[in-house]
Amino acid sequence: QVNSTDYLGAMSKSVKVAENVTDVSSVQQAVNMFQASEERYPANLNEVVTEGYLPVLPELPAGYVYSYDSQTGKVRAVRQ
């Protein structure tokens, strides 16, 4: 028998992971579009917003922050 508390906790965690993937994916797409247009990666994620590739950086769930490598253009969500 499955413990309903464990199940609900697992479902809640999977929703948060899915939200992180969605947010990171949209930011990664914006970085890729920036790179294609500007022929360089943005210096930081704020540049993607200031140059109009995203209206704002999507907010990540509590406890997560964006990690960005300006050398490779790779965007990730990491625990604080």
Side-chain angles (χ1 to χ4, degrees):
Q1 179 177 344
V2 175
N3 182 325
S4 63
T5 303
D6 291 345
Y7 176 76
L8 292 175
M11 288 300 294
S12 176
K13 184 176 180 180
S14 68
V15 166
K16 286 181 182 163
V17 168
E19 288 171 351
N20 286 352
V21 169
T22 301
D23 291 341
V24 171
S25 177
S26 65
V27 175
Q28 185 66 66
Q29 281 184 310
V31 167
N32 294 346
M33 289 188 315
F34 181 103
Q35 194 277 334
S37 295
E38 309 292 330
E39 298 182 356
R40 66 176 178 86
Y41 289 113
N44 55 55
L45 293 180
N46 290 331
E47 192 174 10
V48 176
V49 175
T50 59
E51 294 298 319
Y53 292 89
L54 272 179
V56 294
L57 281 179
E59 197 170 312
L60 292 172
Y64 286 88
V65 294
Y66 286 105
S67 170
Y68 172 65
D69 183 336
S70 62
Q71 298 299 309
T72 64
K74 178 79 174 150
V75 180
R76 296 182 8 215
V78 296
R79 284 193 184 275
Q80 266 184 316

